[in-house]
Amino acid sequence: MEIDLSQFSQVFFEESLEGLESMESELLKLDVNEPEDESINTIFRAAHSIKGGSATFGFSQVANYTHLLETLLDEIRDGRRQMTSEHQDMLLLSVDLLRNMIDALMRKTDFDDPLLSQLEKRFTSELEGAAEDIQDEDATQADAEQAPDEQLWHIDFQAGIDILRCGNDPLLMFTELRQLGELTVKLAEINHPDFGDIDPEACYLSWHLELITDQKIERLKEVFEWVEDECTIHYSSSVIDTGETRELQGTSESPQASPVPESTQASTSTSDSLPAEVVKPKIVSQAKSPEGGSIRVSIEKIDLLINMVGELVITQAMLGQIGQQDEIDEESLLSMKQGLEQLASHTRDLQESVMQIRMLPISFAFNRFPRLVRDIGQQLGKKVDLILNGEDTELDKTVMEKIVDPMVHLVRNSLDHGLETPEIRVSKGKPETGSITLNAFHQGGNIIIEIIDDGAGLDTDRILQKARDKGLVAEDEELSTEAIHQLIFKAGFSTADAVSDLSGRGVGMDVVRRNINELNGTIELKSTQDKGSRFTIRLPLTLAILDGQLVRIGHHTYVVPLVSIHESLQVEPQRINRISENHELVRLRDEYLPVIKVFQEFDHEADAIEIKDGLVMVVDSNNEKVGLLVDELLSQQQVVIKSLEDNYSKVPGVSGATILGDGTVALIIDISGLVSLAGITNTNEHAA
Amino acid sequence: MTELTQQEQANMDDASQQYLTFIMASEEYGVDILSVQEIRGWEATTVIPNSPSHVKGVINLRGTIVPIIDLRQRFGIETLEYGATTVVIVVKVAMSDEHKVIGIVVDAVSDVFSVNDADVRDAPDFGDDTNLSFIKGLTNAADKMVILLDINMLLGSEVLPEASQLSNLINNIDAQQPQAVNA
């Protein structure tokens, strides 16, 4: 029976990407001059398991490449090689490269990047260069146990009689051994019974193996790890002196007996065979998109769910019992009510725990920033400390995926436009090294993400000048500092020529804000000249569920997100002002709010045609208040958000749909979309 | 599985396709049966604001939001009053690399025919601007003319005009913004 390995490869991809992530973060944390053993070990382990996995699945390109990393790391780990910043760079580049390789494997496309051969060469020459160092060091610390040089291992391998029945195959082990060095296999003896008694599924063989390798015994034992209980394995070794080694070089036809040529050889040969291997599984499962993705969930969360479902089953049994009674008396009615209450609370708990499954710590998003900051900082010649706080704060996976890009944009901006070069910083009397802080924390039902820098802050004069040049602000108009800062979120500031001569931010900031608004979030900005800037992103914890207020307009039911509602009120006629045919304002305390007649924008009938006849719901739209005219408030409830775009298209003023208790569909109002639809901007009417 | 008749067997062997046909204004139309997901009765929809009149709204199809299109209105045929016998054919439409599920309202479902590709004639060219690219061709089945529809073209374009309207709208909004600041 052929086992389809492709079903497991997804797990390998995920684990490898995780491994690469931890490798990257450890590398970035690493102090090259005094590398911590634990960090090196972690990096080594990641490389090692990727190598092992990729070899198992036949991704030889990855396996060969990681083998190089592993060799280098192994030497560093054993103290045979000093870690240098060049190593760090090479390893970081390798992380990128491997990510791309795995990405290509997931997409089942060919991987072809000149960087691969470049890096391979760098590693090879690096490892070759060290061969002498190793020997020098060996001479001083000729410790037999640590001996890294090539050794001849004799392995007597007596296979257990049941080895094949357990699904183990000596051939696979020998193949693996062959990858470690020069292997000779001899059949030792066949200990079979009389022909009539032979069990065709049993294994009566044993072998004598000779392996010339630079690997340690642990590595050899690893190969037999699965079978060591049932097989008899005996290891013995003899060190090959230099003369012998040279001879062996001749037989192995490689210029040097170091592991390097072997791997380069292997990689050249595999680069030829790779396309075929990569193309093959295409037929097997084409439909699986790499983004389909899965989530790793902690056992605790699952346990909690199982408990919850257990409770639910008990409640259901209890209710079922009542249902079986022929007559329902007052007592059973009471317990039925109780049961229903329990059911409601369990359902709520269950919903919460299910949502928890989608929650991931924000470190998944934060993790990329050390690298980003390091690379861009180096590129720009700026010294930066990156401070991450609240990495454990949990956030819905979909929100996380969508917030990363805006965050990258903001951090990039902080580095590029915010932080000054060391010289300028010193001249301003600030420490040479700037800092960028990323904070994440929960506040109410929201998550707050802050991006803070101690750079130059926004240059209000230049922004204002730019806005006047672009006609966004009238010449004689005076704006508060805050209002000027808000200008960078305007679309006009994202044009290319604004980038070159504007020292402030504003590159695509409108896009950032739009992306965040699409997540039902908001972004605020505080900036002080020469002190720095602080961007505050406020997001709902999840995109899947929202607390909604159901409203009726005509015979249509709409859902308004509860978070954006301030209040709802009936307005007396004397507080209604009409500006033009279609624009009406209501006076609410000391503010004038524009009122959107939702039925008009949505082009259907309604009971309340005039503001005085209906209810005005005061809602927040991009930190501005507007009123929505509705007929009636219905209940408040949590609604599960469904996409309209899946099968239809985006609808202006509507952010999605949900299914109500009676099975009908209700649309969820997108307030900022509705405001755009109504053509209202009340920037200057804000009289607070 | 029911046994296939010889005729059906023959049809399976060569380049033939099965079509579900339905009736609308006494004409018979056919759609590729493989794109049909299910056939339902009419139920009240939730109206989508500012949508074209032939988009009747959306329904909840076992947790999925599915738009419903009135094909009479889409084709500019006089509308009928919906009733208990009104039929909604739920079809899967391939759009770029994804599928959309859309319901179409028709008068009645008629039959299932196997149609040989060779028996499909091109639709006549009407010579005007009418875009009939969603008509795959004409064929005869049981002595009746059947208009074979390319559901992907028909409903695929359903969303596209919307999208362009949307981008127009967004452009308009963007164009308005600077003035609004000045105001």
Side-chain angles (χ1 to χ4, degrees):
Chain A
M1 189 189 74
E2 187 110 347
I3 297 172
D4 179 14
L5 279 180
S6 65
Q7 56 177 315
F8 303 111
S9 47
Q10 192 60 37
V11 179
F12 161 70
F13 293 145
E14 274 162 30
E15 284 181 354
S16 301
L17 289 176
E18 255 172 50
L20 286 173
E21 237 165 60
S22 67
M23 227 166 132
E24 188 174 37
S25 65
E26 287 297 332
L27 277 167
L28 289 166
K29 264 194 264 168
L30 204 65
D31 179 2
V32 176
N33 300 317
E34 275 176 61
E36 272 180 41
D37 288 352
E38 201 33 58
S39 293
I40 300 281
N41 281 336
T42 308
I43 300 167
F44 176 83
R45 270 197 301 271
H48 180 73
S49 57
I50 295 173
K51 179 191 143 177
S54 49
T56 312
F57 290 109
F59 304 136
S60 44
Q61 199 180 21
V62 178
N64 288 320
Y65 188 73
T66 36
H67 178 76
L68 292 175
L69 296 189
E70 199 189 358
T71 316
L72 180 77
L73 285 164
D74 190 36
E75 287 177 11
I76 295 170
R77 190 173 66 154
D78 287 356
R80 277 177 280 140
R81 183 189 288 277
Q82 188 65 43
M83 180 93 183
T84 66
S85 59
E86 206 205 337
H87 291 151
Q88 198 184 12
D89 280 340
M90 278 160 67
L91 289 168
L92 277 173
L93 283 171
S94 306
V95 168
D96 293 344
L97 190 71
L98 284 167
R99 244 186 221 140
N100 293 340
M101 277 189 195
I102 288 168
D103 197 46
L105 287 171
M106 282 160 81
R107 287 169 198 280
K108 306 196 195 310
T109 51
D110 289 348
F111 180 77
D112 185 24
D113 189 337
L115 189 64
L116 173 64
S117 56
Q118 277 172 28
L119 273 172
E120 261 174 358
K121 277 198 196 102
R122 273 176 76 179
F123 272 107
T124 313
S125 64
E126 185 70 27
L127 289 166
E128 269 172 4
E132 293 152 35
D133 297 354
I134 295 165
Q135 270 169 358
D136 288 351
E137 272 182 45
D138 271 356
T140 52
Q141 39 161 291
D143 197 342
E145 230 181 356
Q146 268 208 326
D149 236 337
E150 301 226 312
Q151 276 180 304
L152 176 63
W153 287 96
H154 300 273
I155 306 163
D156 287 308
F157 178 57
Q158 162 99 53
I161 196 147
D162 284 332
I163 182 169
L164 296 174
R165 267 194 281 260
C166 302
N168 290 304
D169 185 350
L171 182 61
L172 288 177
M173 298 170 206
F174 298 163
T175 318
E176 198 180 338
L177 278 180
R178 186 173 290 147
Q179 287 172 358
L180 303 178
E182 193 72 18
L183 180 73
T184 340
V185 184
K186 277 188 213 130
L187 195 59
E189 53 184 310
I190 305 179
N191 219 346
H192 65 85
D194 288 341
F195 188 76
D197 298 332
I198 284 182
D199 176 354
E201 287 181 12
C203 177
Y204 303 105
L205 306 175
S206 54
W207 293 268
H208 179 76
L209 309 167
E210 283 178 6
L211 177 69
I212 300 162
T213 180
D214 61 342
Q215 301 284 340
K216 289 189 287 185
I217 179 127
E218 286 78 16
R219 180 70 190 88
L220 304 188
K221 282 187 172 163
E222 230 170 68
V223 175
F224 297 105
E225 211 173 359
W226 297 104
V227 294
E228 60 191 9
D229 291 341
E230 46 187 307
C231 302
T232 324
I233 309 163
H234 180 73
Y235 306 88
S236 64
S237 76
S238 52
V239 180
I240 308 162
D241 66 319
T242 355
E244 241 185 283
T245 318
R246 214 166 276 137
E247 204 184 295
L248 283 159
Q249 279 164 11
T251 53
S252 69
E253 284 179 39
S254 55
Q256 228 181 343
S258 80
V260 178
E262 172 217 293
S263 45
T264 38
Q265 246 180 15
S267 61
T268 43
S269 67
T270 46
S271 61
D272 292 344
S273 65
L274 190 83
E277 268 176 61
V278 176
V279 170
K280 218 178 0 180
K282 211 174 217 162
I283 313 140
V284 185
S285 63
Q286 208 169 14
K288 245 185 204 164
S289 76
E291 272 84 27
S294 56
I295 254 182
R296 290 177 147 236
V297 183
S298 72
I299 303 268
E300 287 156 56
K301 285 182 179 174
I302 300 283
D303 281 348
L304 199 68
L305 267 182
I306 291 171
N307 281 343
M308 219 78 88
V309 173
E311 297 273 320
L312 210 58
V313 170
I314 294 168
T315 314
Q316 186 251 333
M318 172 185 153
L319 286 171
Q321 235 166 25
I322 300 170
Q324 275 183 351
Q325 290 171 10
D326 292 332
E327 249 172 72
I328 294 194
D329 52 18
E330 204 161 311
E331 196 184 330
S332 50
L333 199 66
L334 201 68
S335 51
M336 184 156 83
K337 267 186 188 159
Q338 237 168 28
L340 285 171
E341 264 163 39
Q342 248 176 54
L343 191 69
S345 101
H346 288 330
T347 316
R348 208 168 36 241
D349 288 351
L350 191 66
Q351 186 193 34
E352 241 159 63
S353 330
V354 171
M355 295 311 296
Q356 277 295 318
I357 288 190
R358 298 180 56 89
M359 297 299 226
L360 294 174
I362 200 164
S363 53
F364 278 84
F366 276 7
N367 272 346
R368 71 188 57 208
F369 289 106
R371 180 70 190 280
L372 185 93
V373 168
R374 177 184 187 268
D375 288 358
I376 297 181
Q378 255 175 12
Q379 209 180 313
L380 297 169
K382 291 178 182 173
K383 294 191 175 172
V384 200
D385 275 340
L386 180 71
I387 303 150
L388 302 175
N389 294 322
E391 286 172 86
D392 295 335
T393 317
E394 291 200 325
L395 182 61
D396 187 282
K397 187 171 184 259
T398 33
V399 182
M400 180 111 62
E401 278 163 4
K402 291 187 177 162
I403 197 60
V404 164
D405 283 345
M407 273 175 74
V408 167
H409 197 100
L410 290 172
V411 170
R412 225 185 259 269
N413 261 336
S414 281
L415 273 164
D416 195 4
H417 303 301
L419 290 183
E420 311 92 331
T421 54
E423 301 84 57
I424 297 177
R425 289 185 66 87
V426 170
S427 73
K428 282 182 179 174
K430 292 200 231 179
E432 199 181 38
T433 308
S435 77
I436 292 181
T437 310
L438 299 182
N439 287 337
F441 52 93
H442 286 159
Q443 195 180 74
N446 289 313
I447 183 166
I448 316 279
I449 301 168
E450 292 181 322
I451 294 139
I452 307 163
D453 68 61
D454 67 346
L458 292 180
D459 189 339
T460 45
D461 297 343
R462 294 185 74 166
I463 293 173
L464 189 59
Q465 191 51 50
K466 195 81 212 169
R468 290 204 167 125
D469 292 350
K470 289 200 161 282
L472 292 169
V473 177
E475 278 301 327
D476 53 352
E477 196 178 343
E478 288 299 324
L479 290 177
S480 67
T481 319
E482 205 164 278
I484 294 170
H485 290 163
Q486 289 302 319
L487 285 172
I488 65 164
F489 291 114
K490 290 272 180 245
F493 270 79
S494 65
T495 52
D497 72 304
V499 186
S500 52
D501 56 353
L502 188 79
S503 72
R505 312 175 193 217
V507 188
M509 225 34 121
D510 59 321
V511 181
V512 170
R513 182 157 79 167
R514 199 184 314 143
N515 287 347
I516 290 169
N517 286 350
E518 271 170 21
L519 292 171
N520 284 329
T522 58
I523 178 164
E524 284 162 35
L525 158 67
K526 270 198 190 113
S527 174
T528 319
Q529 198 139 14
D530 287 337
K531 287 271 161 54
S533 314
R534 172 194 295 256
F535 286 90
T536 309
I537 302 171
R538 187 181 300 266
L539 291 170
L541 279 179
T542 173
L543 290 182
I545 290 184
L546 67 79
D547 282 311
Q549 168 71 57
L550 271 51
V551 300
R552 183 178 66 83
I553 302 168
H555 62 265
H556 305 270
T557 305
Y558 289 101
V559 181
V560 180
L562 207 59
V563 280
S564 28
I565 303 176
H566 287 284
E567 56 190 311
S568 303
L569 55 144
Q570 264 181 323
V571 184
E572 301 121 41
Q574 64 268 27
R575 286 203 284 149
I576 302 167
N577 298 69
R578 183 181 287 268
I579 290 190
S580 64
E581 184 69 35
N582 289 320
H583 291 95
E584 282 171 281
L585 296 177
V586 299
R587 184 160 50 83
L588 176 66
R589 292 180 279 278
D590 56 351
E591 286 179 84
Y592 288 93
L593 308 179
V595 174
I596 298 171
K597 292 182 171 175
V598 183
F599 74 93
Q600 236 168 35
E601 301 308 327
F602 283 171
D603 193 23
H604 57 61
E605 88 303 337
D607 295 350
I609 308 294
E610 295 302 324
I611 292 176
K612 61 178 170 48
D613 300 331
L615 277 175
V616 171
M617 188 179 245
V618 182
V619 294
D620 221 16
S621 156
N622 292 332
N623 294 327
E624 317 266 349
K625 284 182 187 168
V626 295
L628 305 183
L629 178 64
V630 302
D631 287 353
E632 190 187 350
L633 296 187
L634 306 171
S635 62
Q636 282 178 10
Q637 66 180 67
Q638 281 204 327
V639 297
V640 179
I641 303 173
K642 305 257 176 184
S643 158
L644 266 181
E645 282 154 81
D646 277 356
N647 290 320
Y648 187 58
S649 65
K650 201 166 160 44
V651 179
V654 173
S655 62
T658 189
I659 294 161
L660 299 179
D662 61 358
T664 59
V665 179
L667 300 180
I668 301 165
I669 289 183
D670 163 23
I671 293 172
S672 60
L674 192 64
V675 168
S676 312
L677 206 60
I680 294 176
T681 321
N682 65 341
T683 318
N684 299 326
E685 286 147 5
H686 194 67
Chain B
M1 282 289 281
T2 52
E3 272 184 38
L4 295 172
T5 64
Q6 257 185 338
Q7 176 59 38
E8 277 167 335
Q9 187 66 56
N11 284 339
M12 298 279 284
D13 289 344
D14 53 34
S16 73
Q17 258 180 312
Q18 285 199 309
Y19 287 87
L20 174 77
T21 65
F22 55 84
I23 303 201
M24 225 169 45
S26 56
E27 288 296 337
E28 193 142 0
Y29 297 85
V31 290
D32 184 353
I33 201 159
L34 294 178
S35 66
V36 176
Q37 185 180 310
E38 60 187 278
I39 298 168
R40 299 169 62 86
W42 166 258
E43 58 182 293
T45 60
T46 298
V47 175
I48 299 175
N50 301 318
S51 56
S53 61
H54 60 263
V55 177
K56 303 317 289 178
V58 287
I59 59 161
N60 162 24
L61 184 71
R62 296 184 293 279
T64 312
I65 309 288
V66 174
I68 305 293
I69 311 279
D70 184 315
L71 217 51
R72 271 182 173 254
Q73 272 174 292
R74 180 71 176 78
F75 286 169
I77 308 169
E78 197 188 337
T79 51
L80 277 186
E81 200 164 305
Y82 293 158
T85 56
T86 308
V87 175
V88 177
I89 303 177
V90 179
V91 289
K92 269 189 297 222
V93 184
M95 236 170 274
S96 50
D97 52 350
E98 52 179 326
H99 286 276
K100 288 188 191 280
V101 180
I102 296 176
I104 52 176
V105 181
V106 301
D107 294 359
V109 172
S110 167
D111 210 337
V112 174
F113 291 117
S114 281
V115 177
N116 203 315
D117 280 358
D119 295 335
V120 177
R121 275 166 294 140
D122 288 344
D125 186 356
F126 289 99
D128 55 10
D129 288 342
T130 323
N131 184 3
L132 294 174
S133 60
F134 54 80
I135 295 183
K136 206 189 265 179
L138 307 175
T139 193
N140 267 320
D143 288 334
K144 275 193 79 172
M145 185 186 80
V146 177
I147 304 161
L148 301 180
L149 297 176
D150 185 335
I151 205 81
N152 293 340
M153 292 291 276
L154 174 65
L155 297 178
S157 62
E158 190 61 49
V159 176
L160 290 178
E162 298 287 314
S164 67
Q165 276 171 18
L166 185 73
S167 64
N168 282 342
L169 188 81
I170 289 166
N171 287 340
N172 286 340
I173 292 166
D174 279 355
Q176 279 170 9
Q177 258 175 356
Q179 294 152 15
V181 172
N182 282 333

